[in-house]
Amino acid sequence: MTFTIKTEAAHGAYIHRTEGAIRIASRVIQRLLALETMGSPDMPPSIRAQLQRRDVRSRIDEVMGSGAAASMLHPTVNIGTINGGVKVNMIPSTCVFEADIRLPIGLSAETVVVKILAMLQDVPEASFEVQQAASNPANSSAPDHHLVGVIRKNAELVRGKGGAPLAIPSLGATDCKFWRYAGVPAYSFGVSPETMAAVDERVSVKEFVDLVKIQALAAGDYLMGSRDAT
């Protein structure tokens, strides 16, 4: 979302004339952070039950960092960019900032937009625009779907006992969303994210080869209608 604050400009000492766009923006940002207290009343029961499991929450925090499991139950607000002002001795007339607001499964964007409109009722200087092209509704597939069992069975076959992955939600988006929007269950199963988006991003050759084997075996079982996965 892109927020724009427009107000009167003035000399830096004339704070009696205008609050200034950046100070108004800071108030708006503080209000937006309150969105993180919202819950997700319409989260599917199977997903909520999965997120309440101790082993699932522990694995989420292990993979994505401590606190990640808790973040999946409420919106997250990141102020990614902010621009305003011309000179240090001038009260700015304009400030523009972008907020990346991620929603938990079961909470609609429409509900959050209504909440934001209420927050801004007494801030006439503020307006916002939703970046529709980047607005992807939170989505999920059932954690107990047959395909999950097929993947787990073949992962243990390739990796050995204890090598089956645990089905967990993700904070980030994947291309699974396009399948889910079309009503097709989809799951992401890949290499370890330990070095993802970091300096010297890498993965071991063995892990990659094992992954190819697991996905090929799982695809074969699923397409041939194997029902012996647990």
Side-chain angles (χ1 to χ4, degrees), residues 181-193:
Y181 293 160
V184 179
Y187 300 87
S188 176
F189 176 63
V191 296
S192 169

Side-chain angles (χ1 to χ4, degrees), residues 88-169:
V88 69
N89 65 339
M90 293 177 62
I91 297 176
S93 62
T94 303
C95 181
V96 178
F97 68 88
E98 292 178 300
D100 178 10
I101 303 174
R102 307 287 179 116
L103 307 184
I105 298 166
L107 181 61
S108 71
E110 291 76 15
T111 299
V112 175
V113 167
V114 169
K115 186 82 170 178
I116 293 173
L117 287 171
M119 290 177 172
L120 300 182
Q121 278 188 336
D122 62 343
V123 190
E125 303 90 347
S127 62
F128 68 87
E129 180 181 1
V130 178
Q131 299 175 10
Q132 295 292 350
S135 297
N136 300 303
N139 55 91
S140 65
S141 294
D144 56 353
H145 190 275
H146 173 62
L147 181 55
V148 175
V150 170
I151 294 171
R152 286 176 53 83
K153 183 197 77 170
N154 285 287
E156 194 155 81
L157 178 66
V158 172
R159 295 172 172 173
K161 188 173 179 60
L166 186 63
I168 62 174

Side-chain angles (χ1 to χ4, degrees), residues 23-24 52 61 63 124 133 160 189 206 214 229:
R23 286 176 62 167
I24 295 173
Q52 290 173 344
D61 283 353
V63 173
F189 176 63
K206 182 181 186 309
I214 294 166

Side-chain angles (χ1 to χ4, degrees), residues 27-221:
R27 287 196 288 115
V28 172
I29 289 171
Q30 287 302 311
R31 294 184 183 186
L32 290 176
L33 295 180
L35 293 173
E36 294 184 341
T37 63
M38 296 179 69
S40 181
D42 296 324
M43 181 178 289
S46 63
I47 300 296
R48 189 177 299 279
Q50 189 80 348
L51 283 171
Q52 290 173 344
R53 286 176 47 178
R54 181 174 298 180
D55 58 340
V56 170
R57 295 177 65 84
S58 176
R59 183 62 58 84
I60 291 171
D61 283 353
E62 176 187 343
V63 173
M64 302 177 212
S66 180
S71 292
M72 291 184 177
L73 299 173
H74 61 77
T76 59
V77 179
N78 173 57
I79 307 303
T81 68
I82 183 166
N83 294 282
V86 177
K87 293 181 65 179
V88 69
N89 65 339
M90 293 177 62
I91 297 176
S93 62
T94 303
C95 181
V96 178
F97 68 88
E98 292 178 300
D100 178 10
I101 303 174
R102 307 287 179 116
L103 307 184
I105 298 166
L107 181 61
S108 71
E110 291 76 15
T111 299
V112 175
V113 167
V114 169
K115 186 82 170 178
I116 293 173
L117 287 171
M119 290 177 172
L120 300 182
Q121 278 188 336
D122 62 343
V123 190
E125 303 90 347
S127 62
F128 68 87
E129 180 181 1
V130 178
Q131 299 175 10
Q132 295 292 350
S135 297
N136 300 303
N139 55 91
S140 65
S141 294
D144 56 353
H145 190 275
H146 173 62
L147 181 55
V148 175
V150 170
I151 294 171
R152 286 176 53 83
K153 183 197 77 170
N154 285 287
E156 194 155 81
L157 178 66
V158 172
R159 295 172 172 173
K161 188 173 179 60
L166 186 63
I168 62 174
S170 172
L171 280 172
T174 73
D175 285 348
C176 285
K177 62 179 177 285
F178 298 116
W179 295 95
R180 292 169 182 160
Y181 293 160
V184 179
Y187 300 87
S188 176
F189 176 63
V191 296
S192 169
E194 185 175 351
T195 63
M196 181 177 66
V199 175
D200 195 22
E201 186 173 18
R202 66 195 182 280
V203 63
S204 75
V205 173
K206 182 181 186 309
E207 184 181 12
F208 178 75
V209 172
D210 284 351
L211 175 65
V212 173
K213 292 178 181 178
I214 294 166
Q215 292 196 348
L217 290 168
D221 280 353

